[in-house]
Amino acid sequence: MKTSTLTRRSVMAAAAALALAAPAWAQQPYPSKPIRIIVPYAAGGSTDQLARAIQQPMSEALGQPVIVENKAGAGGTIGTDYVAKSAPDGYTLVFGNTGPNAVVQLMRKVPYDGVKDLRPISTVAFTPMILAVPTDSPANNLKEFLAYAKKQGSALNFGSVGNGSLSHLTGEYFNELAGIRMQHVPYNGGAPMMTAFVGGQIQSSFVTGLDGATLLASGKVRYLAVGTPKRTDAVPGLPAIAEDVPGFRSVAWFGVLAPRGVPDEVAARLHAAVVAAVERPEVRKMFADRKIEAKSSTPAELEKIIQDEIAQWGPVVRKYKIEM
């Protein structure tokens, strides 16, 4: 009887010990399955191209497949919201940018908080907004364009890829700081805007290196200046707009973010993988060919970029009553 009681107690003790230890040995190290990067725009666009450029390098760094999945709609907020509400386990990420992560929430209500609900991992690339004009424009440089714009007033227009887009905000910001009044002409996306530009319906526009590549290749558009605070090797040979319009700055960023509650050790693994991907020579060449600077950051640096953008673009949105 005594032996039987001891046996039962031993079995129960062993079972309890196993139960306590189960989480430790049952939990697999991260990552143990494929990781999804949600691109909140349609396949083939500029954001999608950049996400796919780091897909394979990240997969190699993490030892698991990295899958790019498109969830487009509502200015990038549908895909961003999907990630914000996903499990914070590091298996669902978003390839973010200025729009859904900073400025869209300034123009309308969105179902997530771009600062509180997402944890920045790292930037991937930066591209200045570039002032472009048709090759038959009477302005051959920024000084001439400013003089021409002041003379033309609202008879001069600037095109954008849509209301509330960074190209729209940049044009109004340029109006404000330069003391001019160009008329905004919105289009439904980059392709229609490019078609109108090449067709001579637009007299100027602020474009990214990716979107502007098609325009530049057409031979009907030329660049005048860049939106970085100083001249940049990403678009060599062009002056900074700030040289003639003090304080002007407009730069688009692209980067990776996770749901806010992702564990520190998981965020660290993801950060290392993004940094490794951005340093790959083939990735850097692909970006450079498109007038984009490949550049990683710390999570804190990306968080500050987002907060600074909210502070920069908020007054522009309110003054010009910009809505999406």
Side-chain angles (χ1 to χ4, degrees):
M1 187 71 170
K2 187 175 181 180
T3 302
S4 177
T5 301
L6 287 173
T7 301
R8 285 198 301 270
R9 287 178 179 173
S10 298
V11 170
M12 291 173 64
L18 283 172
L20 289 172
W25 59 258
Q27 185 178 14
Q28 299 182 34
Y30 176 88
S32 59
K33 62 181 181 179
I35 298 155
R36 291 188 300 163
I37 297 180
I38 304 299
V39 173
Y41 300 99
S46 57
T47 306
D48 183 66
Q49 292 177 43
L50 299 183
R52 293 181 189 278
I54 66 168
Q55 179 181 5
Q56 185 58 33
M58 277 190 68
S59 176
E60 292 173 8
L62 292 167
Q64 288 288 342
V66 172
I67 301 165
V68 172
E69 183 178 329
N70 300 89
K71 287 187 180 294
T77 61
I78 290 177
T80 305
D81 181 55
Y82 175 83
V83 175
K85 291 179 169 58
S86 295
D89 54 11
Y91 291 103
T92 306
L93 312 172
V94 66
F95 198 81
N97 62 34
T98 298
N101 294 101
V103 302
V104 173
Q105 61 187 339
L106 297 172
M107 294 173 275
R108 62 178 174 83
K109 185 175 178 60
V110 295
Y112 60 90
D113 186 305
V115 174
K116 295 180 180 178
D117 295 340
L118 291 161
R119 177 171 184 166
I121 299 299
S122 174
T123 58
V124 169
F126 293 86
T127 179
M129 298 303 289
I130 306 166
L131 175 58
V133 297
T135 50
D136 61 2
S137 170
N140 294 296
N141 55 54
L142 181 58
K143 289 184 184 298
E144 290 181 359
F145 182 83
L146 288 168
Y148 180 61
K150 288 177 180 178
K151 182 178 179 180
Q152 293 294 310
S154 60
L156 185 69
N157 68 34
F158 75 94
S160 81
V161 300
N163 280 317
S165 64
L166 186 57
S167 55
H168 178 196
L169 295 177
T170 301
E172 299 293 11
Y173 187 56
F174 184 69
N175 275 338
E176 176 76 10
L177 294 189
I180 58 178
R181 187 59 264 167
M182 296 188 295
Q183 185 67 35
H184 174 225
V185 181
Y187 288 85
N188 187 25
M193 191 272 287
M194 292 178 207
T195 300
F197 209 154
V198 172
Q201 299 167 344
I202 298 176
Q203 296 160 301
S204 66
S205 184
F206 286 90
V207 301
T208 65
L210 270 170
D211 292 333
T214 302
L215 295 172
L216 206 60
S218 72
K220 297 184 178 182
V221 172
R222 67 170 173 263
Y223 292 161
L224 296 184
V226 295
T228 43
K230 297 180 180 179
R231 300 187 183 207
T232 173
D233 291 338
V235 192
L238 290 183
I241 294 172
E243 294 175 23
D244 290 291
V245 184
F248 185 89
R249 181 186 185 280
S250 185
V251 178
W253 63 268
F254 302 87
V256 177
L257 301 95
R260 176 56 71 172
V262 68
D264 291 345
E265 60 273 18
V266 172
R269 284 293 309 277
L270 289 169
H271 178 262
V274 174
V275 171
V278 171
E279 290 301 316
R280 291 279 284 266
E282 66 272 23
V283 171
R284 301 184 76 82
K285 183 180 185 307
M286 182 269 201
F287 286 10
D289 289 346
R290 291 159 176 78
K291 310 300 182 188
I292 290 176
E293 179 187 6
K295 186 177 182 181
S296 58
S297 72
T298 66
E301 287 170 340
L302 177 50
E303 186 138 23
K304 186 176 187 304
I305 288 169
I306 294 170
Q307 292 171 340
D308 287 349
E309 285 186 321
I310 292 171
Q312 175 183 354
W313 297 117
V316 178
V317 168
R318 291 189 291 271
K319 177 169 184 175
Y320 293 99
K321 298 178 172 60
I322 299 173
E323 298 179 350
M324 290 187 73

